[in-house]
């Protein structure tokens, strides 16, 4: 018995020694339990190699100095002679400099027009939008009179073909040319208004919000201030450079103020909604309609909402499309919770403004409505069972 025990002990010792050897051969990063010993073993095995010293030659030193010079704010960018001839002095600052330094160098952001601006020489009516990676060249930018013709061309072609992708691309290029040349005129306002309407028709809310924000910055849509420049004539050739703000016509002012109110409701942005409600300019027909829309959504008054949806002025209905799903879901919950014992499918179709019964049934099935069929084979909803099913759906 003693010999057997000793042999077992020897085997255990041999196994332990083998494991220790394996641990020494295996880096500590691959061990399950690191600990102090593993770290020590790993540091003993993997020793950092000495980094060879790199000798800086004169050529390498010159290269580094030139590279540093590119990123200095005061040093102008080294370009070809052709580029420097067309580039204004304010635009010759380094590309790596901050926007604030560029604005100060060119005169932007100080409330005064810059000493030199880019004036385009391109005469093509159509031009694709490309994001600028270098400072713009005059031969690639269209001047104001060409941009005016281009806008009319885009409108005519869009009405004829209804090609949204093309029109969106062209209008973004027009906006870019206006921005690059620092044009702040009534024509600039018309471009953003036109683009905003086309974007609304096609449901592109992100781009629409960009146009809306730009219109607000041009006209101060808070309407807490008034300005001297009237933009009732959208085809004037002179651009107003020294105007801090432009002023829309009453009709367009009312239209876009209404869009702003409904858009704030779509985004559930109460801060923007409160800002939109401040100031004057809410007496117009479109604004009054938008205010009632906002009120009906907040109060879950689905009857009033769908009446307003049918009589929406301008393009407000396109924005209200984004509220329809929210209003219908809330209305369905209220109906099945309030009525007993049953409610007809036809009532849901009329109350929630569906086009036909098939669309109505599809909506009810998505909300787990419990159908009941009577002797006349007309579909009804069991309101109590549907309420329980909806609660379970909302919990999941």
């Amino acid at each position: 018995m003693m010999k057997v025990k000793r042999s077992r002990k020897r085997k255990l010792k041999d196994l332990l020694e083998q494991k220790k050897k394996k641990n020494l051969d295996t880096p500590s990063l691959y061990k399950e339990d690191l600990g102090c010993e593993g770290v020590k073993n790993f540091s003993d095995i993997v020793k950092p190699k000495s980094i060879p010293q790199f000798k800086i030659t004169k050529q390498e030193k010159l290269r580094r100095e030139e590279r540093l010079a590119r990123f200095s704010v005061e040093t102008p960018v080294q370009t070809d002679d052709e580029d420097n001839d067309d580039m204004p002095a304010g635009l010759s600052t380094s590309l790596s400099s901050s926007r604030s330094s560029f604005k100060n160098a060119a005169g932007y952001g100080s409330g005064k027009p810059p000493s030199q601006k880019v004036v385009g020489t391109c005469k093509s009516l159509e031009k694709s939008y490309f994001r600028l990676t270098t400072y713009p060249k005059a031969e690639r930018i269209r001047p104001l009179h060409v941009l005016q013709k281009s806008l009319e061309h885009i409108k005519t072609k869009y009405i004829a073909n209804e090609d949204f992708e093309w029109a969106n691309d062209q209008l973004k290029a027009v906006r870019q040319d206006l921005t690059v040349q620092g044009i702040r005129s009534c024509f600039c306002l018309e471009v953003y208004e036109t683009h905003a309407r086309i974007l609304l028709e096609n449901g592109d809310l992100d781009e629409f919000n960009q146009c809306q924000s730009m219109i607000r910055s041009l006209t101060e849509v808070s309407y807490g201030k008034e300005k001297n420049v009237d933009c009732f004539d959208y085809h004037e050739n002179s651009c107003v450079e020294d105007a801090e703000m432009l002023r829309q016509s009453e009709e367009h002012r009312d239209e876009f103020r209404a869009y702003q109110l409904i858009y704030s409701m779509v985004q559930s942005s109460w801060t923007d909604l409160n800002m939109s409600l401040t100031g004057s300019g809410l007496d117009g027909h479109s604004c009054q309609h938008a205010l009632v829309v906002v009120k009906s959504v907040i109060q879950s008054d689905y009857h009033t909402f769908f009446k307003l949806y049918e009589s929406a002025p301008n393009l407000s209905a396109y924005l209200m499309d984004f509220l329809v799903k929210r209003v219908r879901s809330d209305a369905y919950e209220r109906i099945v919770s309030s009525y007993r014992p049953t409610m007809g499918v036809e009532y849901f179709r009329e109350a929630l403004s569906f086009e036909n019964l098939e669309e109505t049934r599809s909506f009810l099935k998505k909300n787990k409505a419990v159908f009941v069929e009577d002797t006349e084979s007309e579909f009804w909803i069991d309101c109590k069972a549907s309420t329980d099913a909806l609660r379970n759906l909302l919990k999941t």
Side-chain angles (χ1 to χ4, degrees):
M1 289 294 290
M2 292 294 290
K3 289 181 180 180
V4 173
K5 286 182 180 179
R6 285 176 183 176
S7 62
R8 285 181 180 174
K9 286 181 180 179
R10 284 176 184 173
K11 286 181 180 179
L12 288 171
K13 284 181 180 180
D14 294 338
L15 287 171
L16 288 172
E17 287 178 0
Q18 289 177 5
K19 284 184 178 179
K20 284 181 180 180
K21 287 180 180 179
K22 286 182 179 179
N23 287 337
L24 288 171
D25 296 336
T26 306
S28 60
L29 292 175
Y30 296 96
K31 295 178 185 178
E32 294 181 0
D33 185 13
L34 263 177
C36 297
E37 292 182 1
V39 173
K40 287 178 181 177
N41 292 334
F42 181 70
S43 62
D44 293 337
I45 294 166
V46 185
K47 293 183 179 180
K49 297 180 180 179
S50 58
I51 301 170
Q53 293 184 354
F54 181 75
K55 294 181 179 180
I56 301 175
T57 60
K58 291 182 179 180
Q59 292 180 351
E60 180 64 24
K61 195 172 182 180
L62 286 171
R63 271 183 58 201
R64 292 187 180 187
E65 287 176 358
E66 287 177 2
R67 193 180 303 160
L68 284 171
R70 290 185 212 162
F71 295 94
S72 63
V73 179
E74 297 176 358
T75 308
V77 182
Q78 294 180 358
T79 55
D80 298 335
D81 295 335
E82 295 177 2
D83 297 340
N84 287 331
D85 292 339
D86 296 332
M87 187 179 293
L91 295 178
S92 63
T93 50
S94 174
L95 281 171
S96 62
S97 59
S98 64
R99 288 187 179 183
S100 59
S101 63
F102 164 67
K103 288 180 179 179
N104 293 333
Y108 289 99
S110 59
K112 299 177 182 179
S115 56
Q116 261 187 315
K117 286 186 178 180
V118 183
V119 179
T121 58
C122 180
K123 295 183 179 180
S124 61
L125 296 180
E126 294 187 12
K127 173 188 164 186
S128 295
Y129 170 77
F130 293 103
R131 192 177 295 275
L132 289 176
T133 55
T134 58
Y135 289 115
K137 296 180 181 179
E139 60 269 18
R140 296 177 185 174
I141 304 167
R142 294 167 292 182
L144 180 60
H145 68 278
V146 176
L147 291 173
Q148 288 173 341
K149 293 177 183 178
S150 177
L151 180 62
E152 293 302 321
H153 171 70
I154 294 167
K155 286 181 182 179
T156 305
K157 198 168 179 178
Y158 175 73
I159 292 169
N161 302 331
E162 295 187 358
D163 187 350
F164 168 67
E165 295 297 331
W166 175 84
N168 184 41
D169 181 65
Q170 294 296 314
L171 285 168
K172 286 174 75 173
V174 172
R175 286 166 47 186
Q176 186 182 64
D177 288 348
L178 289 170
T179 304
V180 164
Q181 296 176 93
I183 297 175
R184 184 188 176 93
S185 67
C186 300
F187 171 74
C188 181
L189 197 57
E190 183 189 7
V191 170
Y192 280 95
E193 287 176 349
T194 303
H195 199 185
R197 293 186 185 104
I198 291 175
L199 292 165
L200 260 189
E201 287 180 356
N202 294 274
D204 192 340
L205 287 190
D206 293 333
E207 284 286 342
F208 167 77
N209 188 40
Q210 290 183 19
C211 292
Q212 182 182 232
S213 301
M214 190 62 190
I215 292 169
R216 189 159 57 246
S217 69
L218 288 170
T219 62
E220 279 294 333
V221 182
S222 61
Y223 298 109
K225 303 175 184 178
E226 293 183 358
K227 206 51 200 167
N228 323 327
V229 183
D230 294 338
C231 288
F232 304 141
D233 182 10
Y234 285 92
H235 298 281
E236 61 181 9
N237 293 323
S238 60
C239 78
V240 185
E241 296 180 349
D242 56 346
E244 294 179 7
M245 287 183 292
L246 306 173
R247 205 175 95 195
Q248 292 173 294
S249 64
E250 292 298 327
E251 182 182 355
H252 293 175
R253 180 181 176 182
D254 179 46
E255 177 189 356
F256 282 90
R257 188 76 182 277
Y259 295 156
Q260 186 183 354
L261 288 165
I262 301 175
Y263 178 81
S264 300
M265 198 69 233
V266 169
Q267 299 296 326
S268 299
S269 177
W270 305 108
T271 304
D272 291 341
L273 183 61
N274 288 330
M275 289 177 63
S276 302
L277 292 171
T278 58
S280 59
L282 293 170
D283 300 329
H285 172 65
S286 298
C287 283
Q288 288 298 311
H289 174 273
L291 287 171
V292 183
V293 168
V294 171
K295 184 179 177 182
S296 65
V297 174
I298 293 173
Q299 296 180 350
S300 299
D301 184 0
Y302 53 93
H303 286 293
T304 302
F305 176 84
F306 287 111
K307 286 179 182 177
L308 294 167
Y309 182 76
E310 295 295 333
S311 61
N314 300 315
L315 301 176
S316 295
Y318 290 100
L319 274 172
M320 292 177 71
D321 284 338
F322 293 92
L323 294 169
V324 168
K325 186 178 179 181
R326 189 193 311 179
V327 172
R328 280 176 176 166
S329 298
D330 189 56
Y332 170 76
E333 185 179 358
R334 286 174 173 269
I335 291 170
V336 296
S337 301
S338 304
Y339 291 93
R340 292 289 185 275
T342 59
M343 183 61 63
V345 176
E346 181 64 26
Y347 174 79
F348 285 97
R349 188 191 70 79
E350 294 178 359
L352 305 184
S353 189
F354 286 107
E355 291 184 3
N356 49 53
L357 288 174
E358 290 183 6
E359 189 181 359
T360 310
R361 290 193 187 99
S362 176
F363 168 80
L364 294 172
K365 286 176 182 177
K366 285 180 181 178
N367 286 275
K368 303 297 181 183
V370 180
F371 290 89
V372 177
E373 189 176 358
D374 65 356
T375 55
E376 298 178 357
S377 68
E378 186 178 19
F379 284 99
W380 294 74
I381 298 297
D382 185 339
C383 293
K384 187 176 185 304
S386 298
T387 303
D388 297 336
L390 182 62
R391 286 174 182 170
N392 294 330
L393 178 65
L394 295 174
K395 285 179 183 178
T396 57

